[in-house]
Amino acid sequence: MRVSVSKESWQADEREIEAIVAGRHSNAFAFLGLHEVAGHRVLRAFVPHADTLNAFTLDGAPLGHMIPRHKGGFFEAKVDITERQPIRYEAKNAGGSWTVYDPYSFGPVLGPMDDYYIGEGSHLRLFDKMGAHEMEFEGIHGTHFAVWAPNAQRVSVVGPWNDWDGRRHPMRNRQGIWEVFIPVLGTGTIYKYEIVGPNGQVLPLKADPYARQAEMRPRTASVVPDPTPFTWTDQKYMEERATRDWRRTPMSIYEVHLGSWRRRPDGSFMSYDQLAEQLVPYAADMGYTHLELMPISEHPFDPSWGYQPTGLYAPTARFGDPAGFARLVNAAHEAGLGVILDWVPAHFPTDEHGLSHFDGTALYEHEDPRQGFHPDWNTAIYNFGRKEVSAYLTNNALFWFDQFHIDGLRVDAVASMLYLDYSRQPGEWVPNQHGGNQNLEAVAFLQRVNAEVYRQYPGAFMIAEESTAWPGVSSPTYAGGLGFGFKWNMGFMNDTLRFMSRETIHRRFHHNDMTFGLMYAFTENFVLPLSHDEVVHGKGALLSKMPGDDWQQFANLRAYLAFMWGHPGKKLLFMGQEFAQREEWSESQALDWYLLDAPSHEGMRRLVADLNAAYRSLPALYERDCEPEGFEWVIGNDQANSVLAWLRKAPDADPVLVISNFTPVPRSHYKVPLPKAGRWVERINTDAGWYSGGNTGNQGAVVAKAVEGQHWPAEAEIYLPPLATLFLKYEPA
């Protein structure tokens, strides 16, 4: 295949030419492009399919005819040029001519400070440097690519624009970071990385770990995103957010799976813009304060619900492009709604185009399966102790706040990160340096990411889905805590749902299921979750968990939701439960919105909207959500009647009495001690006809009378409707 010419001192060694043409050269930047060789300026290029090649400067000055050295497309020539500058080639063959810009005539985009901070693991703007970024560089428009693959022999950018040929655009290796600026490429370019592992094996093509956009599944390539900055109009919201102490602010969260909240008539996904038009006003009208979106990072498998992401930096293409997602967040903010994203740093799938053995070695994961493989989900576990991995994940968290104005991240499966023996038997895990089961590297990572979020983004917050008794989950890092703002209260959910699922006649024997949560309610800043996890995998919908006939099931659920809204802690409800979806949730179809035509379902929706309105308008219900001063038992031990009553309190606010009757027996003249004599107004009565209840109650208010010689200064006789919860607000004379 070699062209027979007499070799001069400046000409390339044939073994190196063969390595370039075969794609085996490990340092193309040291060989291709412009170099000084034996006192001459020598230009070398590899352009497959070209029969002839002529070189020019960017402004069109000819540099000469390139000499073919290999029929595979290798050319070189001596040129009269004094300094490095971009080069373009005019290539020809029997089929025509085309222009090629030489990527090896450009200098590096990353600078020495990037090298330093990346090497240190402290770079906090990696999302501006890694991945694909369209830009103007050295006088020409193109795209810069950068990827971490320290053990690779070669990394190339490939796509349909270069016939997926890894020989054409090998990258420059800078201490394990491979980069290249490729002229002309821009918005919408499809690409992957071809990586030659340390043993010389060409790996399956890899998507970009830092890709900001990806192809629609089942395709798996990355996409160069549009660099046009998004025009945000949420400045007022962001300024107000920065002043918030969310522990003392109403937080009622609507958890949503974007792919199945609603669908188009043909069954296809709604777009981000359609969701902005329909989901945002619906949630705002319902009185929620936040949307929580199940993971929207790119993922290949719909039934994973997004919890097995392969593109942490890319909003999924299922609903549109990144700008569309930004418009959704912007619309939410303009409607006064915050946006929380579910975030998955606990594990990642082993799809061959993803992070698994990215450069032919266990790079993002541990090599030892006792540390690097998750038995519950058949996924890989991040190596949190590796500074590059910690930086990758930390930057990803910051990316969503920075680029998309996200208000909070709910971190999935934190317990699986904290414990080395999570879901493992003896001998299946590796103890830490002290012999314990705590994952000290994961703890350090969580503390780091939480501290950075709170430092950089005032008013933002982090929420942990953590199901154990690990201490200090929502304590600040400077006090030795993990640094989250809130923790999901999984115990509350488990205990109370277990109680509510029992036949009402048996509830008297399990009264403590409803009271036990108050033993620890203020040890953390809690969110009370009734999430998607409670309505999948054969568990049925919330309504179907309730005992009794249809009327009793609805009454039970109404009483339970009001119990939760009156309980200390922030609130979270999964979509569909606000109108008592009857079927278990499925990600493959829309919610059963037609149910709202039935009065009982519409009544449930009205109740949730009114609960949100009461919660947001009565400071006693939210100002001390996370502090014991905001709660006081009134009746905690009437297990015989399954009645519970307590006060919610806040400084300079009128108290609110919450009282629940969890039996189908109405109770007249039920005596309730109260802190103040006077008029107590019914703000919520879940048995109201407006909610499709039995429409019994206290005619809008009760009057508490002063009493002497008792623990409480006043007492009222209250009618308790069957299977109902009441909110009664003290009204000063």
Side-chain angles (χ1 to χ4, degrees), residues 564-620:
M564 173 174 153
W565 256 253
H567 194 284
K570 308 307 178 184
K571 327 300 176 189
L572 180 143
L573 189 63
F574 183 55
M575 65 180 197
Q577 310 315 305
E578 80 276 13
F579 60 80
Q581 171 97 0
R582 288 182 179 270
E583 298 299 320
E584 183 174 280
W585 171 63
S586 169
E587 85 287 338
S588 64
Q589 61 191 44
L591 298 177
D592 295 329
W593 292 99
Y594 67 87
L595 292 173
L596 287 170
D597 293 336
S600 54
H601 292 278
E602 169 60 16
M604 189 70 70
R605 188 202 64 78
R606 291 172 177 176
L607 172 65
V608 173
D610 285 355
L611 286 172
N612 281 332
Y615 176 55
R616 295 178 68 166
S617 64
L618 299 175

Coordinates of all heavy atoms in Angstrom, one line a residue, residues 564-620:
M564 N -51.8 13.8 57.4 CA -50.5 14.1 56.9 C -50.2 15.6 56.8 O -49.1 16.1 57.2 CB -50.2 13.4 55.6 CG -48.9 13.7 54.9 SD -48.7 12.6 53.5 CE -47.7 13.6 52.4
W565 N -51.2 16.3 56.2 CA -51.0 17.7 56.0 C -50.9 18.5 57.4 O -50.3 19.5 57.5 CB -52.0 18.3 55.1 CG -51.6 18.6 53.7 CD1 -51.3 19.8 53.2 CD2 -51.2 17.7 52.7 NE1 -50.9 19.7 51.9 CE2 -50.8 18.4 51.5 CE3 -51.2 16.3 52.6 CZ2 -50.4 17.8 50.4 CZ3 -50.8 15.6 51.4 CH2 -50.5 16.4 50.3
G566 N -51.6 17.9 58.4 CA -51.6 18.5 59.7 C -50.4 18.1 60.5 O -50.1 18.7 61.6
H567 N -49.7 17.1 60.1 CA -48.5 16.5 60.8 C -47.3 17.4 60.6 O -47.1 17.9 59.5 CB -48.3 15.1 60.3 CG -47.4 14.3 61.2 ND1 -46.0 14.4 61.2 CD2 -47.7 13.3 62.1 CE1 -45.5 13.5 62.1 NE2 -46.5 12.8 62.6
P568 N -46.4 17.5 61.5 CA -45.1 18.2 61.3 C -44.3 17.6 60.2 O -44.3 16.4 60.0 CB -44.4 18.1 62.6 CG -45.4 17.8 63.6 CD -46.5 17.0 62.9
G569 N -43.7 18.4 59.3 CA -42.9 18.0 58.2 C -43.5 18.5 56.9 O -44.7 18.8 56.8
K570 N -42.6 18.6 55.9 CA -43.0 19.0 54.6 C -43.8 17.9 53.9 O -43.7 16.7 54.3 CB -41.8 19.4 53.7 CG -40.9 20.5 54.5 CD -41.6 21.7 54.9 CE -40.7 22.7 55.7 NZ -41.5 23.8 56.2
K571 N -44.5 18.2 52.8 CA -45.4 17.2 52.2 C -45.0 16.9 50.8 O -44.5 17.7 50.1 CB -46.9 17.8 52.2 CG -47.2 18.7 53.3 CD -47.2 18.1 54.7 CE -47.5 19.1 55.8 NZ -47.2 18.7 57.1
L572 N -45.2 15.6 50.5 CA -44.9 15.1 49.1 C -46.0 14.1 48.7 O -46.2 13.1 49.5 CB -43.5 14.5 48.9 CG -43.2 14.0 47.5 CD1 -41.7 14.3 47.2 CD2 -43.5 12.5 47.4
L573 N -46.6 14.3 47.6 CA -47.6 13.4 47.1 C -47.4 13.1 45.6 O -47.1 14.0 44.8 CB -49.0 14.0 47.3 CG -50.2 13.1 47.0 CD1 -50.3 11.9 48.0 CD2 -51.5 13.9 47.1
F574 N -47.4 11.8 45.3 CA -47.2 11.4 43.9 C -48.4 11.7 43.0 O -49.5 11.6 43.5 CB -46.8 9.9 43.9 CG -46.5 9.4 42.5 CD1 -45.5 10.0 41.7 CD2 -47.2 8.3 42.0 CE1 -45.2 9.5 40.5 CE2 -46.9 7.8 40.7 CZ -45.9 8.4 40.0
M575 N -48.2 12.0 41.8 CA -49.2 12.4 40.9 C -50.3 11.3 40.8 O -50.0 10.1 40.9 CB -48.6 12.6 39.5 CG -48.0 11.4 38.9 SD -47.3 11.7 37.2 CE -47.2 10.0 36.6
G576 N -51.5 11.7 40.6 CA -52.6 10.8 40.5 C -53.3 10.5 41.9 O -54.5 10.2 41.9
Q577 N -52.5 10.5 42.9 CA -53.1 10.3 44.3 C -53.9 11.4 44.7 O -54.7 11.3 45.6 CB -52.0 9.9 45.3 CG -51.0 8.9 44.8 CD -51.6 7.7 44.1 OE1 -52.5 7.0 44.7 NE2 -51.3 7.4 42.9
E578 N -53.7 12.6 44.1 CA -54.5 13.8 44.5 C -55.9 13.7 44.1 O -56.8 14.4 44.6 CB -53.9 15.1 44.0 CG -54.1 15.4 42.5 CD -53.2 14.7 41.6 OE1 -52.4 13.8 42.0 OE2 -53.1 15.1 40.4
F579 N -56.2 12.8 43.1 CA -57.6 12.5 42.8 C -58.0 11.0 42.9 O -58.9 10.6 42.4 CB -57.9 13.0 41.4 CG -57.1 12.4 40.2 CD1 -57.5 11.1 39.7 CD2 -56.1 13.1 39.6 CE1 -56.8 10.6 38.7 CE2 -55.4 12.5 38.6 CZ -55.7 11.3 38.1
A580 N -57.1 10.3 43.7 CA -57.4 8.9 44.1 C -57.5 8.0 42.9 O -58.4 7.3 42.6 CB -58.8 8.8 44.9
Q581 N -56.4 8.0 42.1 CA -56.2 7.1 41.0 C -56.5 5.7 41.5 O -56.0 5.3 42.6 CB -54.7 7.2 40.5 CG -54.3 6.1 39.6 CD -54.4 6.6 38.1 OE1 -54.7 7.7 37.8 NE2 -54.0 5.7 37.2
R582 N -57.3 4.9 40.8 CA -57.7 3.6 41.3 C -56.6 2.5 40.9 O -56.5 1.5 41.6 CB -59.0 3.2 40.7 CG -60.2 4.0 41.3 CD -61.5 3.6 40.8 NE -62.6 4.3 41.4 CZ -63.3 3.9 42.5 NH1 -62.9 2.8 43.1 NH2 -64.3 4.6 43.0
E583 N -56.0 2.7 39.8 CA -55.1 1.7 39.3 C -53.6 2.0 39.8 O -53.3 3.1 39.9 CB -55.1 1.6 37.8 CG -56.4 1.2 37.2 CD -56.9 -0.2 37.7 OE1 -56.0 -1.1 37.7 OE2 -58.1 -0.4 37.9
E584 N -52.9 0.9 39.9 CA -51.5 1.1 40.2 C -50.8 1.9 39.1 O -51.1 1.7 37.9 CB -50.8 -0.3 40.4 CG -49.3 -0.3 40.7 CD -48.8 -1.7 41.0 OE1 -49.0 -2.2 42.1 OE2 -48.2 -2.2 40.1
W585 N -49.8 2.7 39.5 CA -49.2 3.6 38.4 C -48.3 2.7 37.5 O -47.7 1.8 37.9 CB -48.2 4.6 39.1 CG -47.4 5.3 38.1 CD1 -47.8 6.1 37.1 CD2 -46.0 5.2 38.0 NE1 -46.7 6.6 36.4 CE2 -45.6 6.1 37.0 CE3 -45.0 4.6 38.8 CZ2 -44.2 6.2 36.6 CZ3 -43.6 4.8 38.4 CH2 -43.3 5.6 37.3
S586 N -48.4 3.1 36.2 CA -47.6 2.5 35.2 C -46.9 3.6 34.4 O -47.6 4.6 34.0 CB -48.4 1.6 34.2 OG -47.6 1.2 33.1
E587 N -45.6 3.5 34.1 CA -44.9 4.5 33.4 C -45.3 4.5 31.9 O -45.0 5.5 31.2 CB -43.4 4.3 33.5 CG -42.7 3.3 32.6 CD -43.0 1.9 32.9 OE1 -43.4 1.6 34.0 OE2 -42.9 1.0 31.9
S588 N -46.0 3.5 31.5 CA -46.2 3.3 30.0 C -47.5 4.0 29.6 O -47.9 3.9 28.4 CB -46.3 1.9 29.7 OG -47.3 1.2 30.3
Q589 N -48.3 4.6 30.5 CA -49.6 5.2 30.1 C -49.9 6.4 31.0 O -49.3 6.5 32.1 CB -50.7 4.2 30.2 CG -50.9 3.6 31.6 CD -51.9 2.4 31.5 OE1 -51.8 1.5 30.7 NE2 -52.8 2.4 32.5
A590 N -50.8 7.2 30.5 CA -51.1 8.4 31.3 C -52.0 8.1 32.5 O -52.6 7.0 32.6 CB -51.9 9.4 30.4
L591 N -52.1 9.0 33.4 CA -53.0 8.9 34.5 C -54.5 8.8 34.0 O -54.8 9.3 32.9 CB -52.9 10.0 35.5 CG -51.5 10.2 36.2 CD1 -51.5 11.5 37.0 CD2 -51.1 9.0 37.0
D592 N -55.3 8.3 34.9 CA -56.7 8.1 34.5 C -57.5 9.4 34.8 O -58.3 9.5 35.7 CB -57.4 7.0 35.2 CG -56.7 5.6 34.8 OD1 -56.3 5.5 33.6 OD2 -56.6 4.7 35.7
W593 N -57.3 10.4 34.0 CA -57.9 11.7 34.2 C -59.4 11.7 34.1 O -60.1 12.6 34.7 CB -57.3 12.8 33.3 CG -55.9 13.0 33.6 CD1 -54.8 12.5 32.9 CD2 -55.4 13.9 34.6 NE1 -53.6 13.0 33.5 CE2 -53.9 13.8 34.5 CE3 -56.0 14.7 35.6 CZ2 -53.1 14.5 35.4 CZ3 -55.1 15.4 36.5 CH2 -53.7 15.3 36.4
Y594 N -60.0 10.8 33.4 CA -61.4 10.7 33.3 C -62.1 10.5 34.6 O -63.3 10.8 34.8 CB -61.8 9.6 32.3 CG -61.5 8.2 32.8 CD1 -62.4 7.5 33.6 CD2 -60.3 7.5 32.5 CE1 -62.1 6.2 34.1 CE2 -60.0 6.3 33.0 CZ -60.9 5.6 33.8 OH -60.6 4.4 34.3
L595 N -61.4 10.0 35.6 CA -62.0 9.7 36.9 C -62.5 11.0 37.6 O -63.4 11.0 38.4 CB -60.9 9.1 37.9 CG -60.5 7.7 37.6 CD1 -59.3 7.3 38.5 CD2 -61.6 6.7 37.7
L596 N -62.0 12.2 37.1 CA -62.4 13.4 37.7 C -63.9 13.7 37.4 O -64.5 14.6 38.0 CB -61.5 14.6 37.3 CG -60.1 14.6 37.9 CD1 -59.2 15.6 37.3 CD2 -60.2 14.9 39.4
D597 N -64.4 13.0 36.4 CA -65.9 13.2 36.2 C -66.7 12.6 37.3 O -67.9 12.9 37.4 CB -66.2 12.4 34.9 CG -65.6 13.1 33.6 OD1 -65.3 14.3 33.7 OD2 -65.4 12.4 32.6
A598 N -66.1 11.7 38.1 CA -66.9 11.2 39.3 C -66.8 12.1 40.5 O -65.7 12.5 40.8 CB -66.3 9.8 39.6
P599 N -67.8 12.4 41.2 CA -67.8 13.3 42.3 C -66.8 12.9 43.4 O -66.1 13.7 44.0 CB -69.2 13.3 42.9 CG -70.1 12.9 41.7 CD -69.2 11.9 40.9
S600 N -66.7 11.6 43.7 CA -65.7 11.2 44.7 C -64.3 11.5 44.4 O -63.5 11.9 45.3 CB -65.9 9.7 45.0 OG -65.8 8.9 43.8
H601 N -63.9 11.3 43.1 CA -62.5 11.6 42.7 C -62.3 13.1 42.6 O -61.3 13.6 43.1 CB -62.2 11.0 41.4 CG -62.2 9.5 41.4 ND1 -61.1 8.8 41.8 CD2 -63.1 8.5 41.2 CE1 -61.3 7.5 41.8 NE2 -62.6 7.3 41.4
E602 N -63.3 13.9 42.1 CA -63.2 15.3 42.1 C -63.1 15.9 43.5 O -62.4 16.8 43.8 CB -64.3 15.9 41.3 CG -64.5 17.4 41.4 CD -63.3 18.2 40.9 OE1 -62.4 17.6 40.2 OE2 -63.2 19.4 41.2
G603 N -63.9 15.3 44.4 CA -63.9 15.7 45.8 C -62.5 15.5 46.4 O -62.0 16.4 47.2
M604 N -61.8 14.4 46.1 CA -60.5 14.2 46.6 C -59.5 15.3 46.1 O -58.7 15.8 46.8 CB -60.0 12.8 46.2 CG -58.6 12.4 46.8 SD -58.8 12.1 48.6 CE -59.8 10.6 48.5
R605 N -59.6 15.6 44.8 CA -58.8 16.7 44.2 C -59.1 18.0 44.9 O -58.1 18.7 45.2 CB -59.1 16.8 42.7 CG -58.1 17.7 42.0 CD -58.6 18.2 40.7 NE -59.8 19.1 40.9 CZ -59.8 20.3 41.3 NH1 -58.6 20.9 41.5 NH2 -60.9 21.0 41.4
R606 N -60.3 18.3 45.2 CA -60.6 19.6 45.8 C -60.0 19.6 47.2 O -59.5 20.6 47.7 CB -62.2 19.7 45.9 CG -62.9 20.0 44.6 CD -64.4 19.9 44.8 NE -65.1 20.2 43.6 CZ -66.4 20.2 43.5 NH1 -67.2 19.8 44.5 NH2 -67.0 20.5 42.3
L607 N -60.1 18.4 47.9 CA -59.5 18.4 49.3 C -58.0 18.7 49.3 O -57.5 19.5 50.1 CB -59.8 17.0 49.9 CG -59.0 16.8 51.2 CD1 -59.6 17.7 52.3 CD2 -59.2 15.3 51.7
V608 N -57.3 18.0 48.3 CA -55.8 18.3 48.3 C -55.5 19.7 48.0 O -54.6 20.4 48.6 CB -55.2 17.4 47.3 CG1 -53.7 17.7 47.1 CG2 -55.3 15.9 47.7
A609 N -56.3 20.3 47.1 CA -56.1 21.8 46.8 C -56.4 22.6 48.1 O -55.6 23.5 48.4 CB -57.0 22.2 45.7
D610 N -57.4 22.3 48.8 CA -57.8 23.0 50.0 C -56.8 22.8 51.1 O -56.4 23.7 51.9 CB -59.2 22.7 50.5 CG -60.3 23.3 49.6 OD1 -59.9 24.1 48.7 OD2 -61.4 23.0 49.8
L611 N -56.2 21.5 51.2 CA -55.2 21.3 52.2 C -53.9 22.1 51.9 O -53.3 22.7 52.8 CB -54.8 19.8 52.2 CG -55.8 18.8 52.8 CD1 -55.4 17.4 52.5 CD2 -55.9 19.1 54.3
N612 N -53.6 22.2 50.6 CA -52.4 23.0 50.3 C -52.7 24.5 50.6 O -51.8 25.2 51.1 CB -52.1 22.9 48.8 CG -51.4 21.6 48.4 OD1 -50.6 21.1 49.3 ND2 -51.5 21.1 47.2
A613 N -53.9 25.0 50.3 CA -54.3 26.3 50.6 C -54.2 26.6 52.1 O -53.7 27.6 52.6 CB -55.7 26.7 50.1
A614 N -54.7 25.7 52.9 CA -54.7 25.8 54.4 C -53.3 25.8 54.9 O -52.9 26.6 55.7 CB -55.5 24.8 55.1
Y615 N -52.5 24.9 54.4 CA -51.1 24.7 54.8 C -50.3 26.0 54.5 O -49.5 26.5 55.3 CB -50.5 23.5 54.1 CG -49.0 23.3 54.3 CD1 -48.5 23.1 55.6 CD2 -48.2 23.1 53.2 CE1 -47.2 22.9 55.8 CE2 -46.8 22.9 53.4 CZ -46.3 22.7 54.7 OH -45.0 22.5 54.9
R616 N -50.5 26.6 53.4 CA -49.8 27.8 52.9 C -50.2 29.0 53.6 O -49.5 30.0 53.8 CB -49.8 27.9 51.4 CG -49.2 26.8 50.7 CD -49.3 26.9 49.2 NE -48.5 28.1 48.7 CZ -48.2 28.2 47.4 NH1 -48.7 27.4 46.5 NH2 -47.5 29.3 47.0
S617 N -51.5 29.1 54.1 CA -52.0 30.3 54.6 C -52.0 30.3 56.2 O -52.2 31.4 56.7 CB -53.5 30.5 54.1 OG -54.3 29.5 54.6
L618 N -51.8 29.2 56.8 CA -51.8 29.2 58.3 C -50.4 28.9 58.8 O -49.9 27.8 58.7 CB -52.7 28.0 58.8 CG -54.2 28.2 58.4 CD1 -55.0 26.9 58.8 CD2 -54.8 29.4 59.0
P619 N -49.7 30.0 59.3 CA -48.3 29.9 59.7 C -48.1 28.8 60.8 O -47.1 28.1 60.8 CB -48.0 31.2 60.3 CG -48.9 32.2 59.6 CD -50.2 31.4 59.4
A620 N -49.1 28.5 61.6 CA -49.0 27.4 62.6 C -48.7 26.1 62.0 O -48.1 25.2 62.6 CB -50.2 27.4 63.4

